[in-house]
Amino acid sequence: MVNLKKMQMAYKRYVKNFVDGITLDKTQMKYEEAKSENNAIVEINETEKDHILLINMYRISSYWLSVWKNEVLINNKNSTIGLKQVQQVVFYQCMCRHIYKDRYPKMKLIDYSFESNMIGLIHLNMFGWSKEEAIFFDFITEHLGENIMEANDWKQHIWFLLELYLQYTNKTILGTNDHVHLAVRSTLEDKDKRCDLIPEELGIYREVLDCWNTPDLDEITELIAKMSDHHSTLSSDLGNSLEFGDFDYAFYPYEILFLLHVRKKLGLPNPNRSDDFLMNTPEATIDIQDPEPYPELDPLLRMIDDFYRKNYPEYIPNQHGDLFR
């Protein structure tokens, strides 16, 4: 059972982090530093140091995450602008990292992970950005388990999201859309790649995957309540829980929102909003349009994209024309 008082206290800490900790002015200052560094490289077309453009992307992402938190959590605005910008950064981190696949095979990036990639994929789907979603999915399937798409992730809900996405879109990875985490684990093990963190069981998420497309409203309502209790219990342990303890999305139940999204798209019944604390947080109740309009691409991200398009014919976006427009 969820300890409501503990959860409310954790939520206050979650919001306070963006009021007194990772504030908008601090992330904007880091953004401006990245802009200065990038300008110096772009102006003289210094390809020997252009990996710094990729490394600095986390500052763009951090800035827009702070923008989103500031608008939604602090100013009580129903806004998706910052959230959309963050997912665009995730997309371009993958596209640019491809350039360094062989040049810097051990390169590690801040704010880049299998988790962030899966969150990015399902948000591109939720936003209705089908062109970019298709490019991103192809990238994931082609490079899964490689140095630019490492998949040794312990979070059960991330594997739930991938499997639900595959079943909803009638796609497969490694030839399957069932018990995908085990297929990935087995494949990585056969290739002598790290897979020890990939969970063997998905708990409540397996229950949901077994009947996510049920037409029975009572059944799906009960399952969503279980998912919310699970998420709430873990997010209450803010800063410690491995599953939902981070300050980025601890109280943003995107795994439940994605389930509701796919069921709505298929014409399946969804429960009405309840008095559940988690599902009534400002982030959980933002209005995502179908489709969401593209925001103007962040100018620093546009600069990076233009640079790679100019200098690297193999840069994946060069094959697809304009994106996010």
Side-chain angles (χ1 to χ4, degrees):
M1 178 176 289
V2 178
N3 184 327
L4 183 58
K5 184 176 181 180
K6 182 179 179 181
M7 185 177 184
Q8 291 172 334
M9 290 177 64
Y11 182 72
K12 288 181 180 179
R13 287 177 54 216
Y14 178 70
V15 175
K16 185 177 175 60
N17 179 61
F18 295 98
V19 175
D20 300 328
I22 306 175
T23 59
L24 183 57
D25 59 336
K26 289 179 182 178
T27 57
Q28 186 166 14
M29 180 179 68
K30 294 294 185 181
Y31 177 96
E32 293 300 328
E33 289 176 0
K35 183 177 180 180
S36 178
E37 290 179 4
N38 288 8
N39 279 336
I41 292 169
V42 170
E43 285 178 1
I44 61 174
N45 208 43
E46 194 172 11
T47 55
E48 296 82 4
K49 293 184 178 180
D50 60 22
H51 59 282
I52 293 174
L53 305 181
L54 172 57
I55 293 171
N56 276 338
M57 279 194 191
Y58 84 92
R59 296 182 178 180
I60 306 174
S61 180
S62 295
Y63 167 70
W64 283 108
L65 183 68
S66 290
V67 168
W68 187 53
K69 300 295 185 178
N70 194 68
E71 291 181 338
V72 176
L73 297 182
I74 301 171
N75 295 324
N76 298 311
K77 294 182 179 179
N78 191 339
S79 173
T80 58
I81 295 296
L83 181 64
K84 291 190 289 188
Q85 294 279 3
V86 170
Q87 309 316 320
Q88 289 178 323
V89 174
V90 171
F91 177 91
Y92 280 107
Q93 279 179 320
C94 286
M95 299 301 106
C96 294
R97 189 147 194 236
H98 180 258
I99 298 295
Y100 305 100
K101 178 176 181 291
D102 299 316
R103 195 195 308 182
Y104 302 120
K106 296 183 179 181
M107 177 188 283
K108 299 296 182 182
L109 298 178
I110 300 174
D111 196 35
Y112 177 90
S113 64
F114 186 68
E115 176 186 4
S116 65
N117 293 331
M118 291 305 103
I119 293 172
L121 178 66
I122 63 107
H123 275 90
L124 293 184
N125 183 276
M126 291 169 69
F127 295 155
W129 297 348
S130 55
K131 180 179 180 179
E132 294 78 13
E133 176 193 342
I135 296 168
F136 198 32
F137 178 74
D138 287 346
F139 181 91
I140 291 168
T141 55
E142 182 175 354
H143 299 290
L144 185 69
E146 296 180 4
N147 61 325
I148 57 175
M149 188 57 63
E150 294 177 352
N152 190 30
D153 195 288
W154 60 79
K155 295 190 176 182
Q156 293 178 333
H157 77 277
I158 293 301
W159 294 104
F160 161 76
L161 284 173
L162 176 56
E163 188 162 325
L164 177 59
Y165 173 85
L166 293 173
Q167 293 183 12
Y168 165 56
T169 57
N170 294 313
K171 296 176 181 178
T172 62
I173 277 182
L174 302 176
T176 187
N177 61 12
D178 181 49
H179 288 76
V180 175
H181 63 297
L182 297 181
V184 173
R185 184 182 180 114
S186 177
T187 299
L188 294 182
E189 191 171 31
D190 289 343
K191 294 181 178 180
D192 292 323
K193 295 182 179 293
R194 281 202 62 187
C195 61
D196 55 301
L197 297 179
I198 298 176
E200 296 184 359
E201 303 291 341
L202 297 186
I204 176 58
Y205 301 114
R206 178 52 57 198
E207 289 185 51
V208 179
L209 286 168
D210 286 342
C211 52
W212 66 268
N213 55 359
T214 176
D216 187 327
L217 179 58
D218 290 338
E219 183 177 20
I220 199 65
T221 299
E222 181 179 352
L223 286 171
I224 289 173
K226 287 183 178 180
M227 290 176 71
S228 182
D229 282 352
H230 178 69
H231 187 133
S232 298
T233 299
L234 295 175
S235 61
S236 297
D237 200 15
L238 189 66
N240 295 312
S241 166
L242 293 177
E243 193 80 19
F244 291 113
D246 67 272
F247 281 84
D248 287 355
Y249 297 128
F251 287 90
Y252 175 44
Y254 50 81
E255 80 286 8
I256 300 175
L257 297 178
F258 184 59
L259 172 62
L260 293 171
H261 165 75
V262 301
R263 286 181 58 84
K264 181 179 179 181
K265 295 291 285 187
L266 293 174
L268 295 167
N270 281 327
N272 294 323
R273 296 284 183 183
S274 68
D275 57 0
D276 177 285
F277 182 89
L278 177 68
M279 296 307 294
N280 283 281
T281 59
E283 292 168 320
T285 54
I286 59 169
D287 181 26
I288 296 179
Q289 299 180 45
D290 185 16
E292 274 284 335
Y294 292 117
E296 184 175 347
L297 198 64
D298 174 88
L300 190 50
L301 200 55
R302 175 66 67 195
M303 175 197 298
I304 294 170
D305 180 48
D306 288 345
F307 179 91
Y308 283 101
R309 284 178 183 267
K310 171 186 173 182
N311 288 286
Y312 296 97
E314 69 273 27
Y315 178 56
I316 294 172
N318 275 332
Q319 305 167 19
H320 301 283
D322 288 337
L323 298 174
F324 297 106
R325 295 185 183 181

